[in-house]
Structure formats: structure tokens, C-alpha cells
Amino acid sequence: MPNYTFQLNGETVTVDAPADLPLLWALRDKLGVTGPKYGCGIDVCKACTSHLDGAAINPCVTPTADVAGREVTTIEGLAGTWSDDPDELHPVQEAWLEQDVAQCGYCQPGQIMAAVALLRRTSNPTDADIDAIENVCRCGSYVRIREAIKAAAARM
Amino acid sequence: MSLGTPEHDTQEPVQHPSREHSRRQFLTYLVAAPTLAVAARIGADGLAPGTAQAVVPSLPAPAEVLDLGDALILAAAPTANLIVVTVDDAGRVGLALPRAEVGQGITTAVGMLLADELDVPLDQVDVTLADARPELVFNQLTGGSNTIRSVYGPVRAAAAQARARLLAAAAARWGTAPSVLTVSGGVVSGPGGRTATYAELSAAAADPGLAVVVATPKPPSAARLVGTPTNRVDARRMVTGQMDYTLDLDVVPGALPTMVRRPPSINGTVRSVQNLAAVKAMPGVVDVVTVATGVAVLAETFGQALAGKEALQVTWGPGTVDGESNATIQQKLRAATLPFAVPPLLTTTVDAEFDFAMVSHAPMETNSAIADVRRDRAEIWSGLKSPIVAQQTIAAELGLPQSAVTVHVTQGGGSFGRRLFFDAALEAARISKAAGKPVKLMWSRIDDMRHGRARAASFHRIRATVAAGQVLTFEHRVASGETDTRHGLGEILTSVAASLPVGGNLSFAQTIFLTTVHSPYQLGVTTHLLNEVPLQMHTGSWRSVYSANTRGAEEVLMDEIAAKLGKDPVAFRREFLKSDRFRAVLDKVATEGQWGRSLPRGTAQGIGFHAEYKSCTACLVEVDATDPRRPRVTRATIAADVGRPINPRGLESQLLGGLTDAIGTTFRAGLHIDAGLPLEGSYSQFHYTRQADSPRDARVFILPATGEPGGAGELGVPAAVGAVANAYARATGTKPRSFPIEFPVDFTPFPR
């Protein structure tokens, strides 16, 4: 099997994987990075949302070969993109804590990564911008997700 | 675990049962040393039904006398003494909760109870999930909105006794009386400025020779955290990706990612596998084994297991419902509906029929489990709400004694009733045994939606007779596909059968129905009857069990009865509700939600009310149905009286979750059965609520405490179903009768 080398949460990693293996499984099953979750495998539920060179991607449909030489950030590495202090969280994570968004929590890594990507595109998102986030939350935490995104936008 | 000496129960002050609510007394026990470990047992139990003022009075329904939650509490009572509070030599308070955390926030709420009772900060408390403990018998089932109701007494009693022992240990050390000591932040303070931490006192407090007076839990007026909105104790792990769900665990070296190829219709069987050698030769594939539910592919990664299972060519035998579709199921339900008792004579009749489609639980985390089955033992990890029954079933399946099967309960990524069953744990055990290897089993989303459990379809026929401004009779006949409750509920109900307020030769399903569903209104002679149609499909209780459909439909009918009587929907409910407590939550949403305010054309308000498990709630929503095919709830106001709120912040989450469920299942989310299989296979097809369907303005009001905690985990759904449907009806001028309302097959189904 070929090797692919890329930046993962600030570190250089090399993974031995078939070219078409979805990145989600390279991360979870080969590299032990379990923050991105499986929810559908077909880019519908968005539970695995992570960043490739700072923009949102869904590793469940991204071939591992496509990330070679690029920078992948999962929920585990998000805080490190904001601060070098290992105790400090990203403002979106802080907003998630303040609004007590999570219920079962399974979709929240993806929700947070989607929100961060949105805030990188627009610093002051409208309700319509937030409505465009398609990540499924089966517990129904959408009201608090909306509040947390607005709170994070105000803080950033 | 060995039980110690009972504390002196003769010194326990006598408590008189309150008229307002029941109180339970507990004997407490020291169970282990040197770590302080204290347990509680119910010593006396009084369950007093409330009273209600009559319009045209209805007799109390069974669920008003003793509800399913009461039955669960009664069944759990004999083993409540096995819920143990510990204080270790680091001063940390611990409790292994014999319940499942699937997002309800129970570890936070129980932690709050312990922190208050023991005077420690919340971050000094560790509430974990207990493994399957068969000695708990009926006291390890998470369902019926029952966790807080059932552990509220024993946890507080044991914690109070632990605190008393710690005080007694400090008093003995200092030669003073416990009564002069105070505790704050886990530090005991005495005369002369002396202090000692719980860490320093725990060993002495665990001395069985220590003389300790029986303590009673603090009164609600002494609450510090309880009743105060508190954020989840596990939230930081969730937002940093550190929370481990089953398949995130690295607990069995070499456990192989495993997926199963499933039949083209429900309960189909494997006849033969055509290309076994070819699939075994695929990259990363380690093994392929056939089990009762399909063909399992074990691989180095889930991606490769998925590719392998999709490449399998299997000849299948027929399933158990191959001839069924939504249309045939609806016909069977109609044919099975029991007749009304009251003929439509001399009075005005309001009649209606409702259909509800099947609905997937669709938790974000699909069915999953880790299993390590050896010749003489097995170990299982999974999100399990009935782990003892899982342990019993898996042991029987493997031919092992129950004691040789260890079952760990992991935190679940949602449940909504799904994890009452242990389909993945059982299947993983079978695969591990067949392959002779440990496995990490994950169901694909498509399989989880098509072969996983779902809420049964139901049909409702309702007739009310009205005259002279009153409702004289109200009859509701429900026909439903069979809801599977073989996760231990039947055994529990049998164990408390003598206490159940239902007679005759009722089925378990009818007992559950009658101990959960009742009308909160005075509607004269009121009867509810359920008849279930046996369809061999994968079903299970779905959040609020029968009530989402049964009470949701009734709330729609309440608006139609009000219209027949020429009354406003809120005024009608205020007049006919059975208690002032009910009226208070109704009035709260009517005021806060500005009932009757002017709205643009195509937009309307709707109201719903529901009471269950000693709690009640009202929901007022506004729906914009300008595009009737894509209606949206734009604003929501919810109020709830849950008896005694433990964590109002968590309750808000539960009620918002119930609203979100109602929006989805009322408008667009359901399953189309076709030739014995749901067509839906993902969230692009099963249209559960997303952000764009969710209200931008939603407020929740938790009313002050009025008694002991009621159930609240499922409370929010039925009222919101009524509110959403009623708002849609008023916005569109239609009478919704079939749910979900917008339900075309608007997708190309995945291959079978």
C-alpha cells in the first residue's frame, strides 16, 4: 500500500493506506484520531466535519490520497490553531461550553468544525448563513448551536 | 459486595406522607471499608394520586393512579440499597450509576444531587456508568423518563448518611459533638478553627464501629446547586473530541473493524455466499463469517469492512414482512381498531382518524458494540439501557454462564429509545464467537435506518360527544404495529402486577399504554384502548412511546372540539384541564408566547399540552406555511412543571429536543415501508429536523418546584406534536390527519 504524508493537527504524519480509503478511516482506524465521527459515510450528516487547509471537508468521502502534502485539522487540533496554550480552547468551543450546547455530544465535533469554517468565511453570520449549516443533530440542540455561533462571532 | 450493619433506623425521624406528593423513607447502610461506601434502601413507600376539580368529571385513568414510572420505581425498590455512594481517600465522591447516559444529562444531574447533599463542589464528584450488575434485577433499566425519579431518594439518602459518617469521624477525632460542625467545599470545620478534609476523614468514617445517627437528606430549602441551571460535566470532553463512544474505545488489542451485509428485506436469511474467497482476498479484509442476521466482514479498517460487505454476493431467503408496505400496514391497523362504546346519538359528535408512519430512532451513533468472546468468557462494550437483559441474552446465546459475561455500559451517541435493545451487542458477540476474534462492530447508516428498530406505525380513531358547551364522552381507539418491549419491561411489570391499576387479561403492551397515556382534560366518560397488530418487524419504544402519536392526535382534536364549541383553543384548554397546576403552564406559554397576536397570512400559532409521569408541559409555536410543502416553526415557547427541577438547564435541552422531534415527525420525517424494507437509508431521505427547520426564536420556562421530581425526558414530544400540527392547521386551513404531513418519496432509494 502507498504511504501518504500530511500535516495532522500541527504534526507531520505518514499513513499506509489504499489511495481511495476515506480519510475518516485513516484517521480513526490507522492514526487513532477519533474526534471525527461516522454518521452516514456519504457526506449527508456531516458528523465527521474537519478542515483541509482551513476549509470544511467531510473525511467520510475524502480519499486519503487527496490530503497528501496538505494540512488536516480535526476537532482535536482546533484549539491549537487558535492558541499555543494547551489549556486554552478555540472561542467557538468556549461558546459551546457557555451555551451548554451538547446533549449526547456525538455530532458536536462536526458542528463546531462547521461553525468555525463558517466564521472564517464571514465574521458576522446571518441567521440564513447559520441555517445553511446542514450538520444533523439528532438530539435537537439547534437553538443553542445558533446562540453559540452568534456568541462566538461576537467574541472573535 | 457485603452489606454492613444497618444504621439505627429507630432514630430516624418519622415522616408523614404529604398530601401534595409522595415521600419515601430510606434505611442506610455502610457497605464497605476502608473507602467510605454508603447505600440506601426504601423503608416505606407512599404513592398518593393527586386530586382534580371536575368540569364533567372523568374517572381517574390508570396512569393517574400509578404510571409506568411508578411501576419502575416499585420494581427497583428492593435493590435500591445496591446503589452505593463512595468517598475515597482523595476526598472524591463517587457513584457508579446503574443507568445509561445517552445525552439526557443524568450524570450531571445526579452529580448535583451528590454535591449538594455532601457539601462538595460539583467537580469533586465522579458519576460513572455501572457495568451490568445482575444483582440489581429490575434496577438497571433506563427508560420511562425514570432515572431522576428512581434515584432521587436512594442517592440523596446514601449521600446524607455518608456526610453524617464524615461528620461523626471529625467529631470523634476532636472530641466534640457532630452538631457543632459545619461542612463547606468538602472541608469539615469545628470549634477552635480546626478543619479536616473529606480525604483525611474517609477512612475513619468507614469504620463500622463509628457511632452515627441516621441522617435524612436536606430539605429543598437547603439546595445550593439543585434547582440552579448548571452546565454539563461532560461537555468539555465533547467539544474537544475526547469523549469516547463505543467505537472510540481502544480497549481490546486487535479488535477488528466489522460490518455486516444485511438482507434485502427485514429478517431475510442468508442462503449462500457466492464470492466468499474473492471478498476474503480484498485489501484489508481479514475474515468473513455468516451469522443469523447477515454476513460479517472483519477488516483492518471500517472503510475496508464496508467495501468488503458491499462486494459480497449473497443469496437471501425471504424476510418476515416481504408483502408489507405502508398501505398494507395502514389497512391492517384500520381492520384491528376496536369499536367505540358510545354511539353518535342525540348530541354533536366530533370524529377524526389519524395515521402515523413508522419513524426511525436514527441516533447519530449507529448501532455499535465491541465484543471479545473467548472459549470460557466474554466481554462486551456498548451503549446499553438494559444491560442485565443484554448480559442474560448474550450468555444464553454463547452457552456461557451469565457470570462469565462482563457487560460494560458506554456513553451513547443518542438513543431516543433505540438503546433499550442490544442488537449490536448480541450480533457482535455472535460474530466474535464465529470468527474466534475480538470485533468492533458498526452498523452502516443505511442498515441502521432499514434494519434497526423504529417506532411502530399507528392508526387512531377518536370520537368526542359534545352538548351544552360540555364534552360528555371521549373515546380513543389506537391500533399500532407491535412495539417490542422484550428488553426486560415485561418481567418488571409482572413483578409489580399486584400494584398495577389495571385489571383483566391485558397484554404487556396494553398495560404500558394504560400506565403512560391519559387525558389531562375533563372530558366526561373517557376511554383509551390499544390493539396491537403483530408484524414481525424491528420496533422499539420511541421517545414518549405511545404518547407522541396518541396525545399528539388528541391535541389536534382538542382544537377541533374547541372550534365546535365556539371556543378559543387556549380558553378551551384552560376550562377543561384537570388541575390548576396544568393551567399554570398553559397560562405561562399563552402569556410569554403572546397567544392571539397578529401574524401575517400563511403564518399561525398553535398550542399543545401534555402531562405524564407527574410532570406537565405546554408548547406554543408559530408556523410559517407560506410554502405549505416546506413549513417552518419560526418561534416556540415552552413551559414545564416537572415537580422539582434538578438541573433546569438540562431540562431546557430535553424540552428543546422534544420540540425538535415533533417538528421532524410532524412535518417530514418518517419511513416508507416497501416490500418489507424501509426505503429511507440516510438523513437525506429520512427528513429529520435540521438547523433550517428549527426556530430562530425559542424560549423555555421551567416553573418553580412544587414537589418531588417527575419524569421529563420524553415529556416535551407530545405537546409539541400537537402545537406544531395545530399551528399548521390554522396556517393552511387544513385538518392534518396523516403524519408526517409532507411525506413523498422524494429520493432514489439506495440498492437493497
Side-chain angles (χ1 to χ4, degrees), chain B residues 588-604:
Chain B
K588 186 69 178 174
V589 297
T591 302
E592 298 288 349
Q594 299 171 278
W595 175 254
R597 78 178 182 133
S598 172
L599 289 170
R601 189 176 179 80
T603 305

Side-chain angles (χ1 to χ4, degrees), chain B residues 392-409:
Chain B
Q392 291 166 341
T393 307
I394 291 167
E397 174 77 19
L398 298 176
L400 291 172
Q402 193 176 340
S403 59
V405 179
T406 304
V407 174
H408 305 285
V409 178

Side-chain angles (χ1 to χ4, degrees), chain B residues 303-390:
Chain B
Q304 291 160 322
L306 178 62
K309 82 126 170 161
E310 289 184 345
L312 280 168
Q313 293 168 2
V314 183
T315 303
W316 302 98
T320 50
V321 287
D322 289 359
E324 301 294 351
S325 64
N326 278 20
T328 63
I329 291 170
Q330 283 182 357
Q331 286 165 7
K332 284 184 172 157
L333 297 180
R334 276 174 162 73
T337 309
L338 298 170
F340 290 132
V342 179
L345 295 171
L346 301 174
T347 48
T348 307
T349 305
V350 182
D351 276 280
E353 295 180 348
F354 298 88
D355 283 292
F356 289 83
M358 292 184 79
V359 176
S360 174
H361 299 92
M364 292 304 300
E365 181 196 23
T366 57
N367 284 347
S368 51
I370 299 173
D372 182 7
V373 177
R374 308 295 176 94
R375 184 185 55 76
D376 57 346
R377 65 194 150 88
E379 196 164 5
I380 308 285
W381 289 258
S382 191
L384 297 167
K385 297 176 91 177
S386 56
I388 299 172
V389 183

